Amino acid sequence: MNRPSITLAQVLDGLRAEQLTQAGDDALAYLDRRPAPQPWYVRAMVGFGAWLASLMLIGFVTSLSMIAGGGYGIIGALLITGATLIRQRADGDFLTQCAMAASLAGQALLAYAVADSLGYDETEAFLGVALMMSVTLFFIYPDSVHRVLMLLLAAGELTGLLYHWEANALVPLIGPLLAGALILLMERLPTLAGSRHARLIQPLASGLMLGAFGLLLLSTVYLLPELGAEFVFYPRPWISSLLLGAALLYLGNRLWPELADPADARSRRLFLALLLLIAASAWYAPGLNLGLIVLLLGARSGRRSFIGAGISFFTLFLGAFFYGIEVSLLTKSLTLIISGLAILLARWVILRLIATPTTRETHHA
């Protein structure tokens, strides 16, 4: 049965009607001064208008600088500085979205100006400058969504540099490294939540998770043979599978004492053996391990957003894997069948292992 939702204003009105509040209560006065939240579609329209207006203004200023003969770097630096100052002093949807659009455009203009002035390798210089700006603005720019975007851009820029340097062999390492950093961050969450860097935790976790998702989706990209056999877009995806499988086993070992009796060594070995079976069955599909890792992190921390993200990525990766990666259809089918059976078996065994102590306690009682 659905319960009717109650707003904060209704709660306050009810307290006043029953004379349970005091006239000089500062907390209630603050709540009264809070603006009423706008509907989501109004906020979406405000955001769209802010981006459109900002980009048109930025395009106009950039065209003037083109006519004047340069100045992209100055304009980019001014846009970034102005956007940061505006965001520090404004919380409205319109100004927030305007500042974000100005910041992103300013980063592109400044990186282009530096790359153009250096001249020796514009692609490498552009990506390198953009990477440094993304990392710096993650700490400086006071906006959670902007910080997540900076991490995503940093992951993409680093990957682009590796491709430019023809260091493709390192690409399969980035996704597992991001996933490992996410696991360590979530384990230290209770300690970091009370530190002075607490405001960085949520965007850092979201950025690491989404960055790992994006990198693992690259493993499903199919390149036509006409592009040349010497270029390998995502070489040795089994490296990602191996590292993510190790991360899954580590997380499962840390999670097991919270699920069942820590002294039951036999059940722990069985649980880890099932996780090892899942990791091995996803040898050609490393994203399956990543989806399970995020799902377990969400279940462990009680974050529904992580649970939803893990399930969504699991589904997305399955579709991309089936229609992408350069392996035979038989291999894809066997991978999905074995992985699915292993996960279902693990779920059944884990539920029985968790329920066993409860059954015994009920019987003795």
Side-chain angles (χ1 to χ4, degrees), residues 53-330:
S54 301
L55 294 178
M56 291 180 67
L57 178 59
I58 294 168
F60 173 73
V61 175
T62 305
S63 63
L64 288 181
S65 65
M66 184 183 302
I67 296 174
Y72 297 114
I74 298 175
I75 296 175
L78 290 176
L79 286 174
I80 296 173
T81 304
T84 304
L85 294 176
I86 290 174
R87 187 60 186 90
Q88 288 176 347
R89 292 166 173 78
D91 291 325
D93 291 333
F94 186 82
L95 289 179
T96 298
Q97 297 301 322
C98 285
M100 187 178 301
S103 173
L104 296 177
Q107 293 174 55
L109 290 174
L110 183 56
Y112 172 77
V114 174
D116 186 58
S117 63
L118 294 177
Y120 71 97
D121 191 334
E122 293 186 359
T123 302
E124 181 178 358
F126 180 88
L127 292 174
V129 173
L131 177 60
M132 290 188 291
M133 284 192 296
S134 297
V135 175
T136 303
L137 288 173
F138 174 82
F139 297 97
I140 296 177
Y141 196 94
D143 185 87
S144 297
V145 177
H146 190 277
R147 287 187 169 116
V148 174
L149 289 177
M150 291 302 99
L151 287 181
L152 292 178
L153 288 176
E157 289 149 1
L158 177 59
T159 306
L161 282 174
L162 292 179
Y163 282 125
H164 183 72
W165 293 334
E166 298 182 358
N168 305 25
L170 298 178
V171 174
L173 298 176
I174 303 179
L177 288 177
L178 294 177
L182 177 62
I183 293 174
L184 295 178
L185 176 66
M186 298 302 292
E187 286 191 339
R188 298 193 59 187
L189 193 61
T191 303
L192 295 175
S195 67
R196 59 190 181 93
H197 302 295
R199 67 185 185 280
L200 302 177
I201 295 176
Q202 183 59 41
L204 179 59
S206 300
L208 290 173
M209 178 183 65
L210 295 177
F213 285 170
L215 266 296
L216 266 296
L217 282 176
L218 291 180
S219 66
T220 65
V221 174
Y222 175 73
L223 292 179
L224 296 175
E226 290 79 4
L227 297 178
E230 63 277 359
F231 177 78
V232 182
F233 189 73
Y234 200 95
R236 303 178 185 89
W238 57 266
I239 295 178
S240 297
S241 300
L242 187 63
L243 295 176
L244 289 172
L248 181 62
L249 289 174
Y250 170 81
L251 182 59
N253 187 56
R254 301 281 293 180
L255 183 62
W256 177 252
E258 303 174 16
L259 298 176
D261 184 7
D264 191 352
R266 181 174 175 273
S267 298
R268 180 192 290 265
R269 288 194 296 269
L270 178 59
F271 175 66
L272 294 179
L274 289 172
L275 291 183
L276 181 60
L277 175 61
I278 294 173
S281 63
W283 187 257
Y284 292 101
L288 301 183
N289 289 332
L290 178 60
L292 290 176
I293 288 173
V294 174
L295 185 60
L296 289 177
L297 287 175
R300 184 185 187 188
S301 62
R303 293 173 177 258
R304 294 184 178 180
S305 59
F306 273 51
I307 296 176
I311 295 175
S312 300
F313 177 75
F314 200 90
T315 306
L316 177 62
F317 186 87
L318 281 177
F321 170 77
F322 195 82
Y323 291 101
I325 191 171
E326 299 178 36
V327 296
S328 65
L329 186 60
L330 178 61

Side-chain angles (χ1 to χ4, degrees), residues 10-24:
Q10 292 173 334
V11 174
L12 293 177
D13 292 340
L15 292 174
R16 291 192 180 96
E18 297 179 13
Q19 297 181 350
L20 297 176
T21 60
Q22 298 178 1

